[in-house]
C-alpha cells in the first residue's frame, strides 16, 4: 500500500480519525473502570477505618464530621457500638513533614486512648521518615503511641521539652509532624465528643 | 638558572611539584589532628588510621589493577583525602562505615573521573556526603561527654553540649536559642562536639597560616568563605561568631574549598567561589533540614568551577578588547 | 527465522534502551528504588510499547508524513491512559507504588523512538517482535538497576533479606544513588559488550 501524500485534506482526515477512535476507546475504558476505581478508593478508606477504630456497628462514613485545626481539615469517623460512642477514626493531615503532607488515620478509644493508626500518605525520606508506620507501634523504649492517651502522655518527641515519645532516630522533623497530626486528631475527636454531648 | 618559562594556565603558585604542595597540606593538617586526638581520644585515632589506610589501599588497587599505571601513592593526595574524610566523621562511627566512605571517596569521587586532577568534586566530601545520606543516624550521633575528664582536671568551664551528644549547630537548627552561654575559647580549642576535624578552630587557623606562609594556597578562598559566611549570618539575623566557629566552616574554608583541582584558577574566580560557599552554607544552616551545610555548599560550588573559570579568564597578555573571545 | 530472531535480540542487548541508547531515563531513574518496582514499570512500559508498535505499524500507510508525530503521540497517549485506568481499577497495590510514573510512559522516548525508527517502516509482525524485544530489554535493565539499588540500599532483593537493613546504604534508594548505580552499570555493560 502506498503511503498517503501529505496534502491538507489527507492530514486532517487521518489525524482526525485517529483522534476520534482514540477518544472513543478512552471514553469506553473510562466508563468501564469508573465504578471499580470508586469502589477501590472507598474500600481502602473503609479498610483503614475498620483497622484503627474500635468495634462498631454503624456506618462511620455516613456519620462523619469535619473540623479545621491549624488550617488543616480533620475528618472524624465516629464508631458507635449500639448507639454508644465507642471511639473514632480520625483522618488527620500535617503539612510540616520533611517532604509534602502526611495523612494519618488515627484510631481512638472512647476515652481518647490511641488504639491504632495507619499512615495513608507520606513522602518522607526512605529509610528514615518512612519508618513512622512501624516505629510508633514499636514497644521498645518510649516509641509506641499505642495505648497511650494524649491527655496523660505528652505527645511530643522526647528531644523537645516535656516530650514523652521517642522520635525516629535522625528523622526528628518527620516525627514531630507525625505527633502533631496525632495531637490534632485527638483534639478533633474531643471537639466531636463535645458537639455530640451538646446535642443530647 | 632563572629561566623564564612560558606556559598555559593553570600556573601552580608554589615552587616545586604536586608532591611538595600535598605534603605541605599534610603538615598543615597535623595541629588539627592533634586537637582531635586530644578531644576524642583513641577512637579518633582509629577512625583516622582506618580512613587513611582504606583510601591508600583503594587508590593503590585501582591504579594497579584497573588503570595499570605507575603507583601514585607517594604524591600524598590519597593521604590527604583519608585525613580529611576522617576529619568529617564522628569519632564513634562504626569502622566499616569509615571504609565505605573511603572507598567511595577515592573510587567514586576521584578515580571514576580519571584520578588526581580530573575529579570534579572534592573526594573527601564526596565520601562524607555519601555517608551522611546513607547512614544519617550514625553520621549525626556524636560521643557524649567528650572531654569531661579534661574539665575535671583543669576546672575549665563546662561544655555547652557535652551531655546531650549534639553539636551546637544541631541546637541552632532546631530553633534552640538558649546558647547565650557558649564560650568562644572553648570552641577555638576543641571543647565542643562534632566531627573530628571541626572542633579545633585555633589549630585549623594555625594550619592556614602555615599554608599561606609556604604559599601552598592563596588567601582568596578562606578569607572570602569566612567573610561571606559572617556577613550573611549577620544579614539573616544569626550570630556570625557562632556560625564561623561552630561546625565545619573553618575546616572547609581552609582545607576543603582550597583543593587545587576543584577550585577556580584565578583570584577573582576564587573570591566568587568562596563568597557563594559562605552564602549557601548559611542558607542551608538557617532554612535547610540539615544542621550543617558546609559540605553541600562546597560540592555545589565545585560543580560551578568550570563555569567560573570560563568567566574569570585572565586577559591575554597584550590583547585588547573583549577578553572572553579568546 | 534468523531475521526475526535478530529483531528480537537487538532490543535486548545490542541496542538495549537503557544501557546502550540511554532512552527513557526519567522512568528508569525514578522507579527503580526496588527490583519489584523496576520490574512493574518495565512490564507496564513493555505492554504499551507492544500495543503502540503494532497499531502504528498497522496505520503507518494511512498517516501522512507531516502529521505522523502527533498521530503517534495520540496513539501512545491513548494506550497509556487506558493502562492507567486499568491499573487504577484492578491493581490498587501497583497503583500505590507506580501511580505517578504510569502517565510518564507517554513521554518515554523509547516509545516514540521505536515508533519512528522501526514500526513506521516495518511490517506488523516485525514491529511486534521489535516491541517485545525492546520491552524485554527495558524490563531486564530496570530489574537489574532496581535490584542493585535495593540490595545496596536496603539489603533486600525482591523484598527477601540478604543482609540486615541497618547495613544498607540509604543513598542508593534516593535519587543520587540512582545516577551513581546507573553510571556504573552502563560502564560494566559496555565493558562486557566490548570484550564479548
Amino acid at each position: 500500500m502506498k503511503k498517503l501524500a501529505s496534502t491538507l485534506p489527507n492530514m486532517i482526515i487521518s489525524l482526525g480519525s485517529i483522534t476520534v477512535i482514540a477518544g472513543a476507546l478512552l471514553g469506553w475504558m473510562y466508563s468501564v473502570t469508573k465504578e471499580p476505581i470508586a469502589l477501590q478508593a472507598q474500600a481502602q478508606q473503609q479498610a483503614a477505618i475498620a483497622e484503627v477504630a474500635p468495634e462498631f456497628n454503624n456506618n462511620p462514613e455516613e456519620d462523619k464530621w469535619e473540623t479545621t485545626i491549624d488550617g488543616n481539615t480533620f475528618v472524624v469517623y465516629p464508631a458507635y457500638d449500639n448507639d454508644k460512642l465507642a471511639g473514632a477514626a480520625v483522618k488527620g493531615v500535617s503539612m510540616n513533614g520533611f517532604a509534602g503532607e502526611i495523612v494519618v488515620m488515627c484510631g481512638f478509644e472512647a476515652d481518647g486512648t490511641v488504639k491504632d493508626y495507619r499512615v495513608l500518605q507520606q513522602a518522607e525520606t526512605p529509610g528514615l521518615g518512612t519508618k513512622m508506620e512501624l516505629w510508633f507501634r514499636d514497644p521498645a523504649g518510649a516509641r509506641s503511641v499505642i495505648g497511650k492517651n494524649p491527655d496523660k502522655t505528652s505527645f511530643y518527641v522526647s528531644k523537645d521539652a516535656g516530650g514523652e515519645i521517642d522520635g525516629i532516630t535522625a528523622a526528628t522533623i518527620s516525627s514531630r509532624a507525625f505527633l502533631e497530626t496525632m495531637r490534632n486528631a485527638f483534639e478533633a475527636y474531643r471537639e466531636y465528643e463535645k458537639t455530640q454531648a451538646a446535642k443530647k | 638558572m632563572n629561566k623564564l618559562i612560558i606556559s598555559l594556565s593553570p600556573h601552580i603558585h608554589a615552587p616545586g611539584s604536586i608532591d611538595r604542595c600535598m605534603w605541605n597540606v599534610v603538615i598543615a593538617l597535623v595541629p588539627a589532628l592533634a586537637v582531635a586526638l586530644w578531644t576524642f581520644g583513641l577512637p579518633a585515632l582509629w577512625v583516622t588510621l582506618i580512613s587513611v589506610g582504606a583510601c591508600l589501599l583503594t587508590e593503590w588497587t585501582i591504579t594497579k589493577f584497573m588503570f595499570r599505571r605507575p603507583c601514585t601513592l607517594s604524591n600524598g593526595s590519597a593521604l590527604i583525602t583519608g585525613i580529611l574524610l576522617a576529619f568529617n566523621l564522628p569519632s564513634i562511627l562504626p569502622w566499616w562505615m569509615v571504609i565505605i566512605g573511603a572507598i567511595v571517596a577515592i573510587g567514586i569521587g576521584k578515580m571514576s573521573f580519571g584520578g588526581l586532577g580530573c575529579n570534579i568534586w572534592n573526594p573527601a566530601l564526596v565520601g562524607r556526603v555519601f555517608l551522611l545520606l546513607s547512614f544519617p543516624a550514625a553520621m549525626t550521633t556524636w560521643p557524649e561527654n567528650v572531654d569531661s575528664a579534661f574539665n575535671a582536671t583543669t576546672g575549665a568551664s563546662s561544655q555547652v553540649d557535652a551531655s546531650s551528644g549534639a553539636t551546637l549547630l544541631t541546637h541552632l537548627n532546631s530553633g534552640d536559642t538558649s546558647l547565650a552561654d557558649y564560650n568562644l575559647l572553648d570552641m577555638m580549642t576543641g571543647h565542643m562536639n562534632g566531627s573530628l576535624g571541626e572542633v579545633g578552630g585555633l589549630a585549623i587557623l594555625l594550619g592556614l597560616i602555615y599554608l599561606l606562609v609556604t604559599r601552598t594556597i592563596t588567601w582568596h578562598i578562606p578569607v572570602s568563605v569566612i567573610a561571606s559566611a559572617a556577613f550573611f549570618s549577620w544579614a539573616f539575623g544569626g550570630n556570625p561568631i557562632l556560625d564561623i566557629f561552630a561546625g565545619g566552616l573553618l575546616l572547609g574554608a581552609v582545607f576543603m574549598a582550597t583543593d587545587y583541582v576543584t577550585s577556580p584558577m584565578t583570584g577573582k574566580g576564587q573570591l566568587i567561589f568562596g563568597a557563594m560557599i559562605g552564602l549557601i552554607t548559611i542558607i542551608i544552616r538557617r532554612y535547610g533540614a540539615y544542621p550543617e551545610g558546609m559540605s553541600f555548599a562546597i560540592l555545589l560550588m565545585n560543580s560551578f568551577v568550570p563555569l567560573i573559570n570560563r568567566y574569570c579568564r585572565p586577559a591575554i597578555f597584550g590583547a585588547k578588547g573583549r577578553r572572553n573571545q579568546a | 527465522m534468523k531475521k526475526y530472531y535478530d529483531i528480537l535480540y537487538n532490543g535486548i542487548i545490542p541496542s538495549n534502551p537503557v544501557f546502550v541508547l540511554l532512552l527513557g531515563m526519567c522512568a528508569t531513574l525514578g522507579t527503580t528504588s526496588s527490583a519489584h518496582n523496576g520490574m512493574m514499570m518495565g512490564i507496564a512500559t513493555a505492554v504499551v510499547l507492544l500495543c503502540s508498535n503494532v497499531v502504528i505499524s498497522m496505520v503507518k500507510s494511512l498517516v501522512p508524513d507531516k502529521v505522523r508525530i502527533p498521530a503517534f503521540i495520540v496513539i501512545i497517549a491513548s494506550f497509556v491512559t487506558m493502562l492507567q485506568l486499568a491499573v487504577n481499577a484492578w491493581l490498587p497495590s501497583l497503583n500505590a507504588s507506580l501511580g505517578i510514573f504510569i502517565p510518564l510512559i507517554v513521554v518515554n522516548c523509547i516509545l516514540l523512538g521505536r515508533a519512528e525508527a522501526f514500526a513506521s517502516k516495518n511490517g506488523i509482525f516485525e514491529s511486534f517482535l521489535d516491541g517485545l524485544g525492546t520491552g524485554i530489554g527495558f524490563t531486564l535493565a530496570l530489574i537489574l538497576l532496581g535490584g542493585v539499588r535495593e540490595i545496596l540500599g536496603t539489603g533486600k532483593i525482591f523484598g527477601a533479606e540478604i543482609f540486615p537493613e541497618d547495613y544498607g546504604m540509604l543513598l542508593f534508594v534516593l535519587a543520587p544513588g540512582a545516577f551513581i548505580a546507573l553510571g556504573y552499570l552502563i560502564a560494566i555493560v559496555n565493558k562486557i559488550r566490548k570484550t564479548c
Side-chain angles (χ1 to χ4, degrees):
Chain A
M1 204 154 86
K2 226 185 138 278
K3 205 170 184 95
L4 278 180
S6 293
T7 59
L8 190 62
N10 275 353
M11 290 197 282
I12 292 173
I13 293 168
S14 164
L15 203 53
S17 42
I18 285 178
T19 321
V20 167
I21 295 171
L25 272 175
L26 281 182
W28 170 76
M29 193 72 188
Y30 178 72
S31 65
V32 169
T33 54
K34 196 177 172 191
E35 211 167 322
I37 290 177
L39 279 178
Q40 207 62 256
Q42 213 189 351
Q44 274 176 2
Q45 176 105 319
Q46 276 171 349
I49 293 172
E51 273 174 33
V52 299
E55 289 280 316
F56 57 86
N57 54 12
N58 64 326
N59 183 351
E61 276 185 273
E62 259 173 30
D63 300 332
K64 76 173 179 186
W65 181 84
E66 286 182 17
T67 183
T68 307
I69 297 175
D70 291 347
N72 297 320
T73 307
F74 283 72
V75 188
V76 180
Y77 300 98
Y80 286 97
D81 195 15
N82 295 327
D83 291 332
K84 195 173 153 287
L85 188 62
V90 182
K91 189 158 94 176
V93 190
S94 168
M95 306 302 272
N96 295 329
F98 192 71
E101 50 175 23
I102 296 175
V103 183
V104 187
M105 184 72 86
C106 323
F108 296 103
E109 313 257 1
D111 65 345
T113 307
V114 176
K115 182 172 174 289
D116 203 349
Y117 69 90
R118 281 281 171 286
V119 179
L120 300 182
Q121 185 195 326
Q122 47 94 358
E124 305 301 290
T125 320
L128 290 177
T130 49
K131 282 185 193 160
M132 63 172 69
E133 178 67 55
L134 298 173
W135 182 279
F136 292 106
R137 57 178 85 247
D138 184 349
R143 292 177 184 180
S144 177
V145 294
I146 290 169
K148 289 180 184 164
N149 189 328
D151 260 348
K152 293 165 196 144
T153 312
S154 165
F155 269 42
Y156 284 87
V157 286
S158 45
K159 266 190 187 179
D160 296 343
E164 289 181 68
I165 306 285
D166 284 344
I168 304 169
T169 317
T172 312
I173 294 174
S174 304
S175 308
R176 281 195 191 121
F178 175 83
L179 291 176
E180 180 202 317
T181 320
M182 274 290 190
R183 288 198 306 273
N184 288 345
F186 176 74
E187 211 48 45
Y189 173 65
R190 278 277 182 262
E191 271 182 45
Y192 174 77
E193 263 188 333
K194 268 181 221 156
T195 57
Q196 291 312 102
K199 266 186 203 167
K200 281 174 190 167
Chain B
M1 288 297 286
N2 276 332
K3 274 200 292 183
L4 179 64
I5 299 169
I6 299 172
S7 70
L8 294 171
S9 63
H11 303 287
I12 295 173
H13 290 287
S17 58
I18 299 176
D19 296 19
R20 184 142 158 214
C21 297
M22 292 298 175
W23 286 109
N24 272 337
V25 177
V26 173
I27 294 170
L29 284 167
V30 167
L33 183 61
V35 173
L37 295 183
W38 184 41
T39 311
F40 297 106
L42 270 187
L45 184 65
W46 296 133
V47 168
T48 313
L49 286 182
I50 292 169
S51 165
V52 169
C55 278
L56 293 176
L57 192 66
T58 312
E59 171 134 343
W60 179 79
T61 314
I62 292 177
T63 42
K64 174 121 178 145
F65 296 107
M66 290 178 77
F67 287 0
R68 307 212 170 91
R69 283 191 207 147
C71 180
T72 49
L73 287 187
S74 64
N75 70 22
S77 73
L79 177 64
I80 293 177
T81 302
I83 299 177
L84 285 180
L85 176 66
F87 273 19
N88 276 291
L89 305 175
S91 62
I92 49 172
L93 198 71
W95 59 271
W96 54 272
M97 286 187 194
V98 181
I99 293 181
I100 290 178
I103 293 173
V104 168
I106 298 287
I108 295 182
K110 192 162 94 175
M111 291 322 213
S112 287
F113 297 94
L116 182 65
C118 306
N119 47 311
I120 306 172
W121 297 288
N122 185 317
L125 284 177
V126 171
R128 169 190 150 83
V129 167
F130 185 95
L131 288 178
L132 184 63
L133 295 181
S134 292
F135 310 106
M139 282 293 285
T140 46
T141 308
W142 318 101
E144 294 187 8
N145 291 314
V146 276
D147 65 347
S148 48
F150 174 78
N151 281 342
T153 47
T154 61
S157 64
S158 75
Q159 208 174 319
V160 184
D161 49 0
S163 54
S164 70
T167 67
L168 286 170
L169 284 175
T170 320
H171 285 292
L172 271 184
N173 191 258
S174 60
D176 187 354
T177 47
S178 64
L179 285 173
D181 54 346
Y182 72 90
N183 185 324
L184 183 60
L185 191 71
D186 278 353
M187 297 200 296
M188 294 286 280
T189 51
H191 297 223
M192 65 174 188
N193 221 336
S195 303
L196 290 191
E198 65 186 27
V199 293
L202 216 54
I204 294 171
L205 291 179
L206 211 64
L208 172 65
I209 292 168
Y210 178 81
L211 289 177
L212 289 175
V213 168
T214 56
R215 309 179 81 187
T216 311
I217 60 171
T218 57
W219 58 270
H220 300 83
I221 292 178
V223 170
S224 59
V225 170
I226 295 168
S228 136
F231 172 76
F232 286 111
S233 172
W234 170 79
F236 288 136
N239 181 336
I241 294 179
L242 200 57
D243 262 318
I244 291 172
F245 290 103
L249 192 125
L250 271 182
L251 178 69
V254 174
F255 292 113
M256 312 281 217
T258 53
D259 178 15
Y260 291 124
V261 181
T262 57
S263 61
M265 294 167 191
T266 59
K268 187 178 155 199
Q270 291 179 344
L271 288 178
I272 298 173
F273 178 76
M276 285 305 292
I277 289 178
L279 172 62
I280 297 173
T281 305
I282 297 300
I283 289 177
I284 295 178
R285 282 186 184 178
R286 284 298 165 284
Y287 304 109
Y290 286 96
E292 174 61 302
M294 191 62 189
S295 40
F296 294 112
I298 297 177
L299 287 179
L300 271 175
M301 288 315 292
N302 281 166
S303 321
F304 282 96
V305 164
L307 191 71
I308 295 173
N309 279 338
R310 173 80 177 73
Y311 285 101
C312 297
R313 209 178 274 184
I316 298 167
F317 185 69
K320 284 178 186 167
R322 291 165 58 192
R323 56 183 180 173
N324 277 342
Q325 230 165 20
Chain C
M1 254 344 262
K2 177 82 173 72
K3 185 184 139 205
Y4 294 135
Y5 173 76
D6 280 348
I7 293 173
L8 190 64
Y9 179 72
N10 183 50
I12 300 177
I13 304 212
S15 53
N16 182 295
V18 173
F19 293 132
V20 182
L21 303 179
L22 298 190
L23 290 177
M25 287 294 108
C26 167
T28 305
L29 296 166
T31 57
T32 50
S33 57
S34 72
H36 178 258
N37 283 359
M39 184 174 77
M40 287 306 169
M41 184 67 186
I43 292 174
T45 310
V47 169
V48 176
L49 180 63
L50 210 58
C51 299
S52 71
N53 252 15
V54 169
V55 170
I56 286 166
S57 168
M58 278 199 268
V59 300
K60 64 178 182 293
S61 50
L62 299 173
V63 179
D65 264 351
K66 282 189 181 166
V67 291
R68 66 181 196 285
I69 303 273
F72 294 167
I73 297 263
V74 168
I75 293 171
I76 293 168
S78 312
F79 278 117
V80 172
T81 314
M82 285 163 72
L83 182 79
Q84 191 190 1
L85 289 172
V87 167
N88 231 326
W90 295 301
L91 295 169
S93 61
L94 186 61
N95 187 44
S97 61
L98 284 186
I100 56 165
F101 295 110
I102 290 177
L104 288 179
I105 299 177
V106 179
V107 287
N108 194 325
C109 329
I110 299 168
L111 294 146
L112 197 59
R114 292 328 287 174
E116 264 287 277
F118 200 93
S120 64
K121 298 184 184 107
N122 290 283
I124 295 173
F125 186 60
E126 284 94 330
S127 301
F128 173 80
L129 283 181
D130 179 73
L132 189 63
T134 310
I136 292 174
F138 188 65
T139 309
L140 288 180
L142 290 202
I143 294 175
L144 185 61
L145 182 59
V148 168
R149 287 179 64 192
E150 194 181 355
I151 293 178
L152 292 176
T154 62
K156 298 190 186 78
I157 179 81
F158 283 108
E161 187 170 288
I162 291 178
F163 55 85
E165 190 170 356
D166 289 347
Y167 294 90
M169 288 171 271
L170 201 55
L171 183 84
F172 281 102
V173 184
L174 305 173
F179 283 91
I180 295 174
L182 180 67
Y184 279 93
L185 280 178
I186 290 172
I188 293 168
V189 169
N190 277 340
K191 178 89 181 159
I192 293 171
R193 272 174 6 106
K194 271 182 192 150
T195 47
C196 281

